[in-house]
Each structure stands twice: as structure tokens, then as C-alpha cells.
Amino acid sequence: MDLHEYQAKLLMMQYGINVPYGLVATDDDEFQQKAKEVFEKNGIIVAKAQVHAGGRGKAGGVKVFKSIEDAVGFAKEKLNTKLVTKQTDSHGQLISAIYFEAGCKIKKEYYFSLLVDRENNCISTIVSTEGGMDIEEVSENHPEKIHTINIFVKNFDVLNSYDESYTRKILQCLELDESFFTKAHNLFSSIYKMFVEKDVSLLEINPLVLTEDSDLIVLDGKINVDDNGLYRHDEIKILRDKTQEDPLDSQAKDAGLSYVRLDGNIGCMVNGAGLAMATMDIIKYYGGSPANFLDVGGGADSKGVKTALEIILKDENVKAILVNIFGGIVQCDMVADAVITAIREILIANDKRVLNFVIRLSGTKADIGSKKIADFGAEKLKNLNIIPADNLDNAAKKIVDMVK
């Protein structure tokens, strides 16, 4: 789950992390007062459109002002419009809040991030002296200026695995001398503590700045919290902003489904992430193009199947649907009933498009489930072609041929 910048900074403040003074405003009535409060700090207001995307500055979503009136005018102009950045689609993302932040005198900008490195089984710090730029551009044009420091778990204690040696390595990479050690260690160790305690999967600070009075400040912060850890953090869960999510992604998340929309025309309904990946691969192998990744989970009950079908059908590019279920926990005859019920309630009643279904069931009571599907398909339903398949290879060939 992504956090807005202002939410990330409020979280950082709880850990004593040095961020500029700022206030968020969500309607016209708040703009004047909050801009005034920020202006009184040092006569500079940085107004920032709040969307879940990087590159806001280049897209016109971040501006510096030396008057309250100009900052308020910017806020009124941007609120409830959409900001298009390199990280958003052509429609952009809705700006539902403006963050007013006190400016500071910047001497040098740096890049700092923490992420979960599954390949190396550690938390990795990525730092660079080239802050304020797209890190992808720095990586491509100046790879020697990107430094990775791996923080390995000591004595099975993730929280206390960060020590002074890592701060010294970071300072060396950022070309800062020992006189900054105390400030830097307090800052980086606090960031690390927040990262671990709040189940953060990615934290990006770009830029981290050195001010003219030798202070280290988090000027911009992006935080992504691991969805699997949200059950431990009700205080973070309530920060979710559905306006920043694709409506189909949001519906899937609310239903406990794992869904990723793609640009193909063969919808996939599968239980299990590994099986879903294999299903997509074999569709591609036979010349087809998957429209989505969708894992309905091990249970695959009637409600989940119906919601999954609704989500797939909201993609108008979908011309055929491959249902691939392995009955381990769930029984295939129950899945067949759920699929048939969902098709009757959604497609036969409401949807008028011509669709092909290939349904492959394997595992517990697969023979019973497949017979139910075959009998259902034999009804010669209007606009629908529904056939069973006995294995994944056969199912993929059939669905690709149908679309072609």
C-alpha cells in the first residue's frame, strides 16, 4: 500500500526523523490558513500536489512560492484535477490534497532508499550523491554513482541489525565527512527502525538534502507498506487512498484477490500465484496474450469466483476466459458450481458480448466438476461457448485458437 508524501512524513515525524514543517489541505477553505502558517516559518512555501507517483515536479505538480496568494492560487488550480507523470497512465491521477511545506536553503541533494532485497535475504540501502534526479537516469548514465549497502540480519534480530558501521559506509558513499556522523546515525537508524517496525517494503527519499546550516533533512519521501503486514497496522490501513488506485485493482484488493491488469485479450482466473504465472506463460507460448494476472486464492469459493469474473469482464478487451483451478484445499465440483452460478448471474443476465470459456479443473473431484462444466456448455447458451479441458497444455491451445 502506497502512502502520500504528507502521510509518509507524519509517520517519519513519529520516529524523530527530520522533515520540514508542513501542513496538508484538502479543500479551498483550508488553503489560505494553512499556506499562511507555513509562510510564517521562513517566507517560502513549497506547494506539492499529492498523488501516488514520482516525477511530480517535472509534471508541474510541485512549485515554490514567495507569497501566500500565489501558493493558494496554485492549490485551487490543481485540486481535483489529474496529474500526468511518467509513472501514471495518460489519464493521470486525481489530486485530492495539496501539501504546503516550508522551504529550506539547500547546499547539496542526495538519494537514499531502503528496500527488501529478497535475492540477498537482507534489507538494502541504495544511496547516491546525485539526488533530485530520476534514479533510473543516474543508474543508466552514471552507474558508478549508485551505491548499494546490504544490511544483513544479526542473531535473528532484524530490528537491531543496523549499527554504526552502516552509517559510516553511507557517509563514505555520500562523500560526507565524520563531522556528520552523529546527525547521520540518528537519522538513518531512525529511518531503519521505522522501516522494520511498520513493515515497509520500499522507502525512497529523493532528495535527502544537506542545508546551508549543515542539517540533514528529508525533503521528499515515498513509502510503500507491505500489504501482508497491514493486519498489524490499523493506523496505516486507514490511510489508504482509493482514488489513487485502478478501480479494478481496488475491487480485487477489497475482495482479497490478487489482480494485475495487462494488455492482452485472454482473461485468466486461477487459484495460486505460481499456477497463475504458469498459465500466463503457456498462453504466451501458444501465441496468445493474457489480459490479466488473477489469483482467486486456495479457497476459490462462490463469492470469490463471482467477483473475479466481474473484474475480468470489466476489461472490454477480454474476448475469452481461461479458468484454471487445482482442487487441493477446495473441491473441483464446488468450483464448477461457483463458476456456473457466476456465469449465469453475470453474463447470461446482463452481458451481451460473445465470449469463449475454457475451464480446466484438476485435483479433488475434478471428474465431477468437469462433467458439470461439460453439461453446462452443452446447453448451447446464447453468446457463450463453454468447454472443459483435461490439462493445462490442452486448455491453453484451445483458448488461443478460439481467440484467433
Side-chain angles (χ1 to χ4, degrees), residues 5 9 12-13 16-22 42 48 99 101-112 174 176 180 183-184 187-188 191 204-221:
E5 177 192 0
K9 286 183 173 175
M12 290 180 188
M13 289 170 63
I17 297 166
N18 199 6
V19 301
Y21 179 80
N42 60 10
K48 301 180 176 184
Y99 189 49
E101 189 171 71
C104 64
K105 295 181 179 180
I106 301 170
K107 183 176 181 180
K108 173 66 179 171
E109 296 183 344
Y110 303 97
Y111 176 90
F112 177 94
L174 296 182
L176 291 168
F180 289 97
K183 287 181 180 178
L187 176 66
F188 298 142
I191 292 172
E204 186 177 48
I205 298 171
N206 188 26
L208 169 71
V209 301
L210 173 64
T211 65
E212 290 185 0
D213 56 358
S214 298
D215 208 358
L216 288 170
I217 297 178
V218 174
L219 206 59
D220 191 10

Side-chain angles (χ1 to χ4, degrees), residues 77-91:
E77 176 189 336
K78 292 296 182 181
L79 189 69
N80 295 325
T81 64
K82 290 190 175 182
L83 188 69
V84 179
T85 72
K86 288 199 305 182
Q87 294 184 13
T88 64
D89 60 24
S90 59
H91 300 294

Side-chain angles (χ1 to χ4, degrees), residues 7 28 39 62 78 93 98 115 124 126 132 138 168 183 188 223 248 250-251 260 272 304 325 330 337 372 376 386 403:
Q7 294 170 333
D28 289 1
F39 181 79
V62 178
K78 292 296 182 181
Q93 286 178 299
I98 303 293
L115 56 90
S124 290
I126 300 174
V138 178
R168 289 196 163 86
K183 287 181 180 178
F188 298 142
I223 288 178
L248 298 185
S250 185
Q251 183 182 359
V260 179
I325 300 293
V330 68
D337 289 336
K372 288 185 176 186
F376 181 53
I386 301 169
V403 171

Side-chain angles (χ1 to χ4, degrees), residues 358-362 370 388-395 398:
V358 174
I359 301 173
R360 178 253 182 173
L361 303 175
S362 177
S370 296
D390 53 7
N391 60 66
L392 180 54
D393 189 70
N394 181 250
K398 287 181 177 180

Side-chain angles (χ1 to χ4, degrees), residues 15-17 112 114 151 158-164 166-167 170 181-197:
Y15 283 81
I17 297 166
F112 177 94
L114 282 175
I151 304 169
V158 180
L159 185 60
N160 294 305
S161 292
Y162 185 92
D163 60 32
E164 294 182 354
Y166 293 114
T167 297
I170 294 170
F181 176 79
T182 300
K183 287 181 180 178
H185 187 65
N186 289 339
L187 176 66
F188 298 142
S189 61
S190 296
I191 292 172
Y192 179 85
K193 182 179 181 182
M194 179 190 69
F195 186 93
V196 174
E197 288 187 344

